């Protein structure tokens, strides 16, 4: 799947094989079997192209990763504790990426409800707020009950 995601285009078994063979020796039939298994499991779709198939990822790597995280979190007997533990494992760069993601989903959420080990920056006019209707009113971090 890594190769299919990296190229972000329909690929043939031959293309994947040639790329993998730069790193190690591998048989055509092995790659063909893996690609067929990925198709059977619904991870890739395929279209006939001459005598071969072209395989395309059904979802992005990011969507797959998100689904894995959601599955693990939803199976926890204490989701809040699982999130706290997960946030505690994050590097500074990962926490920054989390902040960016939270701002994209809900710009004011990061300012009013910071998560564990997630520092927020407030009052920065460079922070993205586009896409939220009526977001021109000032916010007060001391009043999370304002509904923002």
């Amino acid at each position: 799947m890594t190769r299919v995601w990296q190229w972000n285009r329909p690929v043939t078994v031959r293309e994947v094989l040639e790329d993998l063979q730069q790193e190690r020796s591998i048989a055509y039939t092995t790659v063909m079997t893996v690609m067929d298994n990925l198709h059977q499991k619904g991870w890739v779709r395929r279209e006939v192209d001459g005598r071969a198939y072209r395989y395309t990822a059904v979802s992005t790597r990011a969507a797959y990763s998100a689904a894995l995280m959601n599955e693990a979190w939803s199976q926890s007997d204490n989701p809040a504790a699982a999130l706290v533990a997960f946030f505690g494992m994050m590097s500074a760069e990962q926490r920054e990426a989390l902040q960016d993601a939270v701002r994209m989903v809900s710009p004011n959420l990061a300012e009013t409800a910071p998560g564990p080990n997630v520092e927020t920056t407030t009052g920065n006019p460079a922070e993205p707020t586009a896409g939220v209707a009526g977001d021109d009113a000032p916010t007060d971090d001391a009043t999370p009950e304002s509904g923002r």
Side-chain angles (χ1 to χ4, degrees), residues 56-94:
T56 307
V58 170
S59 69
T60 65
R61 182 178 223 150
Y64 172 71
S65 297
L68 284 177
M69 289 187 284
N70 186 54
E71 182 180 345
W73 180 55
S74 67
Q75 291 180 6
S76 173
D77 60 341
N78 188 341
L83 283 175
V84 169
F86 180 65
F87 294 155
M89 293 179 203
M90 290 179 151
S91 68
E93 292 81 18
Q94 289 170 322

Side-chain angles (χ1 to χ4, degrees), residues 4-142:
V4 178
W5 282 324
Q6 283 175 340
W7 293 330
N8 196 28
R9 63 171 174 78
V11 298
T12 64
V13 170
R14 176 76 54 202
E15 290 173 317
V16 175
L17 172 72
E18 290 172 358
D19 192 48
L20 289 172
Q21 284 180 334
Q22 293 178 20
E23 299 171 11
R24 62 188 168 114
S25 177
I26 189 167
Y28 181 91
T29 54
T30 301
V31 177
M32 183 176 62
T33 299
V34 170
M35 296 300 285
D36 186 59
N37 288 343
L38 291 171
H39 176 257
Q40 296 297 325
K41 291 179 179 185
W43 288 40
V44 295
R45 64 179 150 263
R46 66 184 180 195
E47 295 180 15
V48 175
D49 183 14
R51 293 179 47 195
Y53 286 114
R54 287 210 171 264
Y55 294 87
T56 307
V58 170
S59 69
T60 65
R61 182 178 223 150
Y64 172 71
S65 297
L68 284 177
M69 289 187 284
N70 186 54
E71 182 180 345
W73 180 55
S74 67
Q75 291 180 6
S76 173
D77 60 341
N78 188 341
L83 283 175
V84 169
F86 180 65
F87 294 155
M89 293 179 203
M90 290 179 151
S91 68
E93 292 81 18
Q94 289 170 322
R95 286 192 301 273
E96 188 174 326
L98 175 63
Q99 284 179 284
D100 292 343
V102 168
R103 279 192 289 269
M104 282 187 252
V105 173
S106 179
N108 294 316
L109 181 61
E111 295 175 359
T112 61
N117 294 327
V118 177
E119 298 177 3
T120 60
T121 57
T122 58
N124 182 350
E127 288 184 4
T129 57
V132 178
D135 196 35
D136 53 345
T139 60
D140 182 359
D141 291 337

